[in-house]
């Protein structure tokens, strides 16, 4: 797997793991430790009360410690991703990564545990000895067949859930896809002929679960590296594989594929030949799940069998089988009811919840997240997107109910509906808020021009954009400089193949660009001589002209120089959208408590009430692309009429204008920041506000307040900043700041592409008179 990475991805991954501190995890206190009494309560002598309460009633551990929300991600490093037996120490980054996914998607805390032990008996003893610490065990990257033995024996001995995700996580998603594909094909699971390539932990778990759901064992044929698993075979056999040995003379995949309704591949790239597909049954399901190269590429399979339904493990094709679809939510449901195990009923409940979600009409949230084009249930949408926010709302309650119904719940919830509603707190707090934009951007990549094309951050961002197929980069810069830096940074970028180039010193379009510049800005101080000079020397002017002329779909600039200077270029050349009063800057910060959009952080110094309303409505339109329901708070030092200062009255007037112009929006104010972010605080001041929960669009009364708040949040909240995103230009154009990272450029690129996809670019409006010439 590592050999398939570009040098840029390798070096970027190492920097990501190394800085600003090693690793991806840390431990934080959840209780105050600010004085002597806090210390006395947290540790000696107060902690003794908690210890004795648990001694008297072990169930109290769930209410007095982290145990009910703590999972061990445990591996011995014998089957790590596609890297094989690299050992427990080398597996630690993967286990940390799994821990991050648990936390981000389902709010579950994790200790990653790497065990230097291959002996099954000793490994089982290690795992079982951890029961007092954890509410659940997620076994990871343990090779087959030992993984079967370890899980089976630990489940027998332990009174908490033990779940080998490589087996059961994959199996659950595969089973959901199989159920939906057979429904579309008009077939029954009990009649379906199933063939596998691969007989490892995941493949056998898939078959076991399908049998539990109703598949017929006699209709299943397993193949592995030695061919068909048949009765009497001696090589590479074990008791788990023996279950699927058939009485047959067939010996190869080619022999058994004719008439198959379902192919499940968890083996190696290229083993399923196009000619095999011609012999499969009508409307077959092809699950080519080997990574990074599937058993057959989807486009090749589709060409050979246009009626086939196809799943892969890759994110660049429809129907991605990704374990993150289920494991965080299965554990969420199991932990919340104190389940003693994850049994077959709970796994089947997860399968049915995932399959049912795929059949649901895409919600407005999902449709907005994917640009209004969320696919309805069908051959290219057999399973939900891994980033569908409804996954936790469907899977966790289904698993919890199954645990209660099957008698393994130690702490049943009284009201399953109320429990399901409580899970809404996790939706859109994953830190993956950019994912919907990236998914949407990939559906129709646009041409994005980068004014500072020679900058290292732009080149690294261009590499990522090309690899993720988000956009077609256009770089403004000198070819020899860009070529030298690509080699220096170890990037895999080739001009013409991966990106286009505008050379400011020698581009055949030079005269045309000068003419366009004079046409749009000749009455604003741009003389012919100045135009000729700027089109040779000002990269932002060149990039903006490319967008104006339709040779690029979006502009990104601002890594060097002043924000105001770049804004003037955009105003003169690209112009203002007809439905905007002026430009504005919206900045996104992603914190542990959610995502918040701040405005206006960079443009309007002291906006009027009309401008505040204009910015708020424009922000709501942008926020909808992130799959969020806009909730607008008009911020002030005043809380709902407590002050009659000029700024407070301005924000009140802005609310009236919003309610008149866009009454469908959830907006309120004027209000203080704590009222905006806490429904409890807000209800103390004004019960019955216009919306529930926390605001996600924070509109400030002036530029100073917005920008200071943004900078504070970046540092003090350890937040991920995105932007600023420029609101108002006739075509997508964004001005970044000199502190932006390559990652930040990639994020804004995705936002710009989705913005360009939103509709045909509007004609550039006339810029305001008197803007004056551009100068650096």
């Amino acid at each position: 797997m590592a050999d398939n990475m570009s040098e840029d991805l390798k070096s970027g991954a190492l920097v990501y793991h190394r800085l600003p501190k090693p690793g991806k995890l840390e431990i934080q206190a959840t209780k105050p430790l600010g004085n002597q009494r806090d210390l006395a309560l947290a540790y000696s002598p107060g902690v003794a009360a908690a210890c004795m309460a648990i001694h008297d009633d072990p169930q109290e551990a769930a209410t007095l410690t982290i145990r009910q929300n703590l999972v061990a991600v445990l591996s011995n490093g014998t089957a790590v991703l596609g890297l094989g037996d690299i050992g427990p120490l080398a597996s630690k980054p993967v286990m940390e990564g799994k821990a991050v996914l648990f936390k981000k998607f389902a709010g579950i805390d994790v200790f990653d545990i790497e065990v230097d032990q291959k002996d099954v008996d000793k490994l089982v003893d290690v795992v079982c000895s951890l029961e007092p610490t954890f509410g659940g065990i997620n076994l990871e990257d343990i090779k087959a067949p030992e993984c079967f033995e370890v899980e089976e024996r630990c489940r027998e001995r332990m009174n908490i859930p033990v779940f080998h995700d490589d087996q059961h996580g994959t199996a659950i998603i595969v089973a959901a896809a199989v159920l939906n594909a057979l429904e579309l094909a008009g077939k029954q699971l009990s009649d379906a002929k199933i063939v596998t390539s691969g007989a490892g932990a995941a493949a056998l778990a898939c078959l076991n679960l399908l049998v539990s759901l109703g598949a017929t064992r006699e209709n299943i044929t397993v193949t592995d590296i030695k061919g068909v698993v048949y009765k009497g075979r001696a090589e590479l056999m074990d008791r788990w594989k023996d279950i699927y040995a058939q009485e047959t003379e067939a010996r190869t995949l080619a022999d058994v594929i004719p008439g198959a309704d379902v192919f499940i591949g968890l083996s190696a790239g290229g083993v399923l030949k196009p000619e095999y597909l011609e012999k499969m049954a009508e409307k077959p399901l092809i699950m080519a799940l080997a990574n990074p190269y599937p058993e057959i590429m989807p486009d090749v399979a589709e060409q050979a069998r246009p009626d086939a339904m196809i799943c892969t493990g890759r994110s660049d094709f429809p129907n991605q089988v990704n374990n993150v679809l289920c494991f965080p939510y299965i554990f969420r449901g199991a932990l919340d009811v104190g389940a003693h195990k994850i049994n077959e009923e709970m796994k089947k409940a997860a399968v049915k919840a995932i399959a049912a979600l795929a059949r649901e009409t895409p919600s407005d949230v999902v449709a907005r997240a994917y640009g209004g084009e969320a696919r309805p249930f069908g051959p290219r949408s057999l399973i939900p997107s891994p980033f569908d926010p409804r996954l936790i709302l469907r899977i966790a309650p289904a698993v919890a109910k199954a645990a209660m119904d099957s008698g393994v719940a130690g702490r049943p919830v009284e009201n399953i509906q109320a429990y399901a509603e409580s899970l809404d707190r996790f939706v859109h707090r994953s830190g993956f808020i950019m994912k919907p934009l990236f998914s949407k951007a990939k559906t129709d990549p646009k041409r994005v021009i980068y004014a500072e094309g020679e900058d290292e951050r732009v080149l690294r961002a261009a590499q990522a954009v090309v690899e993720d197929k988000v956009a077609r980069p256009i770089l403004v810069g000198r070819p020899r400089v860009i070529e030298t830096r690509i080699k220096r940074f170890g990037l895999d970028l080739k001009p013409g193949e991966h990106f286009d180039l505008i050379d400011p010193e020698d581009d055949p379009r030079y005269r045309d660009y000068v003419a366009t510049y004079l046409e749009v800005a000749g009455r604003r101080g741009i003389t012919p001589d100045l135009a000729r000079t700027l089109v040779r020397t000002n990269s932002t002017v060149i990039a903006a002209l490319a967008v104006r002329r339709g040779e690029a779909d979006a502009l990104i600039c601002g890594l060097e120089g002043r924000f105001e200077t770049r804004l003037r270029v955009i105003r003169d050349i690209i112009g203002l959208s007809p439905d905007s009063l002026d430009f504005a800057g919206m900045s996104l910060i992603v914190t542990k408590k959610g995502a918040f959009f701040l405005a206006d952080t960079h443009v309007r110094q002291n906006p009027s009430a009309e401008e505040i309303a204009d910015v708020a409505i424009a922000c709501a339109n942008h926020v909808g692309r992130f799959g969020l329901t806009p909730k607008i708070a008009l911020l002030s030092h005043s809380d709902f009429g407590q002050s009659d200062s000029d700024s407070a009255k301005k924000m009140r007037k802005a609310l009236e204008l919003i309610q008149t112009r866009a009454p469908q929006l959830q907006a309120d104010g004027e209000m203080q920041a704590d009222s905006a972010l806490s429904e409890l605080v807000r209800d103390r001041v004004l019960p019955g506000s216009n919306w529930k929960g926390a605001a996600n669009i924070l509109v400030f009364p002036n530029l100073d307040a917005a920008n200071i708040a943004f900078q504070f949040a970046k540092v003090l909240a350890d937040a991920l900043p995105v932007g600023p995103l420029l609101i108002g230009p006739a075509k997508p154009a964004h001005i970044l700041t000199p502190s932006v990272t390559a990652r930040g450029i990639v994020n804004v690129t995705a936002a710009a592409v989705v913005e360009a996809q939103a509709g045909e670019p509007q004609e550039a409006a006339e810029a305001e008179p008197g803007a004056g010439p551009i100068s650096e």
Side-chain angles (χ1 to χ4, degrees):
M1 179 175 288
D3 293 339
N4 296 321
M5 292 186 197
S6 68
E7 288 302 315
D8 174 66
L9 188 58
K10 287 181 184 178
S11 62
L14 293 176
V15 169
Y16 176 88
H17 283 79
R18 188 172 285 130
L19 299 174
K21 63 170 69 172
K24 299 188 285 282
L25 299 170
E26 66 179 6
I27 294 176
Q28 292 186 344
T30 60
K31 300 296 194 303
L33 294 168
N35 54 48
Q36 185 60 40
R37 178 169 174 78
D38 290 342
L39 295 175
L41 294 172
Y43 198 54
S44 181
V47 72
C51 293
M52 291 311 299
I54 295 170
H55 177 268
D56 295 337
D57 180 6
Q59 289 294 324
E60 286 290 344
T63 64
L64 295 172
T65 74
I66 193 180
R67 186 174 184 264
Q68 69 165 354
N69 197 53
L70 186 62
V71 166
V73 172
L74 186 147
S75 178
N76 66 353
T78 52
V80 181
L81 299 178
L83 305 173
D85 186 354
I86 61 174
L89 184 59
S91 77
K92 189 171 180 64
V94 178
M95 302 311 119
E96 285 188 357
K98 195 68 175 273
V100 168
L101 295 179
F102 267 108
K103 186 66 175 180
K104 291 294 184 181
F105 282 104
I108 295 171
D109 295 303
V110 167
F111 290 158
D112 64 289
I113 298 179
E114 294 73 35
V115 181
D116 189 7
Q117 185 57 258
K118 294 183 179 180
D119 181 272
V120 170
D121 293 335
K122 294 179 180 178
L123 183 56
V124 168
D125 286 341
V126 169
V127 176
C128 292
S129 68
L130 297 171
E131 183 168 349
T133 301
F134 297 99
I137 304 286
N138 184 96
L139 300 176
E140 192 80 14
D141 292 350
I142 301 172
K143 74 180 183 72
E146 289 88 339
C147 60
F148 301 115
E149 187 79 27
V150 171
E151 186 194 31
E152 187 177 284
R153 289 167 58 180
C154 288
R155 289 180 63 186
E156 291 173 356
R157 288 174 53 180
M158 301 179 77
N159 202 37
I160 59 174
V162 179
F163 186 81
H164 187 211
D165 183 50
D166 298 326
Q167 295 180 57
H168 307 301
T170 302
I172 287 166
I173 304 161
V174 165
V178 169
L179 292 183
N180 280 344
L182 293 178
E183 178 178 314
L184 288 171
K187 302 174 183 179
Q188 297 295 319
L189 180 59
S190 58
D191 299 328
K193 180 180 178 181
I194 301 170
V195 174
T196 76
S197 174
L204 293 178
C206 290
L207 297 179
N208 292 341
L209 186 54
L210 287 170
V211 169
S212 177
L213 287 162
T216 306
R217 201 181 304 275
E218 290 72 25
N219 291 341
I220 296 171
T221 305
V222 175
T223 69
D224 62 11
I225 196 171
K226 295 297 182 181
V228 173
V229 173
Y230 60 90
K231 286 189 177 179
R233 198 182 97 170
E235 272 190 295
L236 293 181
M237 295 296 291
D238 53 57
R239 65 185 175 94
W240 297 279
K241 202 182 297 185
D242 280 341
I243 296 171
Y244 294 101
Q246 299 283 15
E247 286 281 6
T248 178
E249 297 299 319
R251 293 295 182 263
T252 68
L253 178 61
D255 294 336
V256 298
I257 200 72
D261 298 291
V262 178
F263 169 82
I264 301 174
L266 285 154
S267 55
V271 301
L272 186 63
K273 307 302 180 186
E275 56 268 26
Y276 296 179
L277 273 57
E278 298 172 5
K279 301 176 182 179
M280 293 184 72
E282 183 183 359
K283 296 181 181 179
L285 171 63
I286 300 166
M287 306 198 76
L289 306 180
N291 254 329
Y293 303 112
E295 286 77 5
I296 187 169
M297 291 299 292
D299 52 345
V300 176
E302 191 172 5
Q303 185 174 2
R305 284 297 298 264
D307 64 332
M309 292 167 275
I310 306 164
C311 300
T312 71
R314 293 171 54 136
S315 62
D316 52 347
F317 292 101
N319 291 322
Q320 182 196 12
V321 174
N322 187 331
N323 285 16
V324 81
L325 264 168
C326 68
F327 72 80
Y329 317 122
I330 289 172
F331 269 96
R332 181 73 277 157
L335 293 173
D336 288 342
V337 295
H340 304 312
K341 62 178 66 177
I342 294 175
N343 58 21
E344 206 68 13
E345 289 80 1
M346 295 160 74
K347 287 186 285 183
K348 288 193 288 186
V351 170
K352 293 173 182 178
I354 294 170
L357 178 56
R359 295 193 295 268
E360 287 187 35
T361 301
S363 71
D364 58 341
V365 173
V366 176
R368 283 197 304 273
Y370 291 89
E373 298 180 9
R375 292 190 185 99
F377 176 55
R380 294 172 65 85
S381 186
L382 297 173
I383 46 181
S385 160
F387 301 97
D388 190 322
R390 299 171 296 176
L391 283 165
I392 193 170
L393 305 179
R394 302 292 189 274
I395 299 174
V399 169
K401 185 176 186 303
M404 293 189 293
D405 291 346
S406 60
V408 299
R411 296 187 308 277
V413 297
E414 293 183 5
N415 186 325
I416 197 70
Q417 183 61 38
Y419 166 67
E421 292 173 359
S422 74
L423 296 170
D424 190 60
R425 68 190 186 278
F426 295 111
V427 177
H428 292 301
R429 293 190 179 184
S430 67
F432 287 87
I433 191 169
M434 293 299 298
K435 282 291 183 179
L437 266 72
F438 278 90
S439 296
K440 173 58 181 168
K442 291 177 184 180
T443 65
D444 183 19
K446 298 296 183 182
R447 300 162 300 170
V448 178
I449 189 165
Y450 301 86
E452 293 87 3
E454 298 176 1
D455 190 284
E456 176 184 355
R457 293 165 293 175
V458 168
L459 293 172
R460 292 194 180 277
Q463 178 77 64
V465 164
V466 168
E467 289 179 350
D468 290 343
K469 300 179 182 178
V470 170
R472 173 74 177 190
I474 304 171
L475 306 182
V476 179
R478 296 162 292 178
R480 63 184 183 279
V481 174
I482 290 175
E483 182 180 358
T484 298
R485 293 182 178 178
I486 285 174
K487 291 180 180 178
R488 182 193 306 166
F489 304 140
L491 306 179
D492 183 22
L493 288 172
K494 297 181 179 64
E497 180 179 346
H498 299 125
F499 67 92
D500 298 312
L501 189 64
I502 295 181
D503 179 3
E505 295 180 345
D506 183 22
D507 193 280
R509 294 165 290 188
Y510 170 72
R511 293 181 183 276
D512 294 335
Y513 275 38
V514 171
T516 300
Y517 197 12
L518 287 171
E519 178 185 344
V520 299
R523 293 182 179 275
R524 289 187 288 278
I526 301 300
T527 65
D529 285 343
L530 182 57
R532 285 189 287 269
T533 299
L534 291 175
V535 174
R536 285 288 192 210
T537 60
N538 190 311
S539 61
T540 305
V541 168
I542 297 169
L545 287 168
V547 173
R548 173 79 190 210
R549 290 165 52 85
E551 296 167 3
D553 301 303
L555 159 67
I556 293 178
C557 63
L559 279 75
E560 302 169 357
R562 298 176 60 191
F563 188 96
E564 294 81 2
T565 301
R566 268 67 184 173
L567 184 61
R568 196 178 305 160
V569 170
I570 293 170
R571 188 186 298 275
D572 271 0
I573 298 174
I574 295 177
L576 188 66
S577 170
D579 57 358
S580 297
L581 295 177
D582 197 356
F583 296 103
M586 178 181 75
S587 298
L588 164 64
I589 55 168
V590 183
T591 74
K592 294 177 181 178
K593 293 190 175 182
F596 303 96
F597 297 82
L598 282 59
D600 176 356
T601 54
H602 284 80
V603 179
R604 307 189 198 189
Q605 293 188 5
N606 188 23
S608 65
E610 289 76 11
E611 290 176 306
I612 292 286
D614 180 59
V615 169
I617 294 170
C619 286
N621 292 332
H622 279 262
V623 168
R625 297 192 185 112
F626 288 80
L628 297 171
T629 298
K631 297 180 180 180
I632 304 167
L634 304 176
L635 298 184
S636 172
H637 71 286
S638 172
D639 236 351
F640 301 108
Q642 291 178 350
S643 170
D644 281 328
S645 66
D646 290 341
S647 67
K649 289 190 286 188
K650 176 173 72 173
M651 302 309 274
R652 270 178 243 157
K653 177 64 175 176
L655 177 63
E656 295 175 6
L657 293 170
I658 293 171
Q659 291 171 336
T660 300
R661 289 178 53 190
Q664 77 281 5
L665 291 179
Q666 298 183 52
D668 212 339
E670 86 284 14
M671 67 177 72
Q672 295 179 353
D674 56 350
S675 297
L677 299 178
S678 169
E679 184 178 345
L680 179 64
V681 172
R682 191 166 61 251
D683 284 348
R684 289 174 182 165
V685 181
L686 184 71
S689 177
N690 291 346
W691 37 266
K692 300 297 183 182
N696 51 28
I697 300 176
L698 307 178
V699 183
F700 292 79
N702 59 53
L703 179 62
D704 285 344
N707 191 269
I708 291 169
F710 176 56
Q711 303 299 340
F712 259 107
K714 283 197 301 183
V715 178
L716 298 183
D718 193 22
L720 168 67
V722 179
L725 303 176
L726 188 64
I727 293 174
K731 297 182 180 181
H734 299 291
I735 308 169
L736 305 181
T737 58
S739 63
V740 72
T741 63
R743 179 187 182 192
I745 297 171
V746 174
N747 284 336
V748 173
T749 298
V753 170
V754 173
E755 189 179 352
Q757 292 173 346
E760 290 297 320
Q762 303 173 60
E763 290 299 320
E766 286 298 317
E768 293 181 6
I774 311 303
S775 63
E776 291 293 337

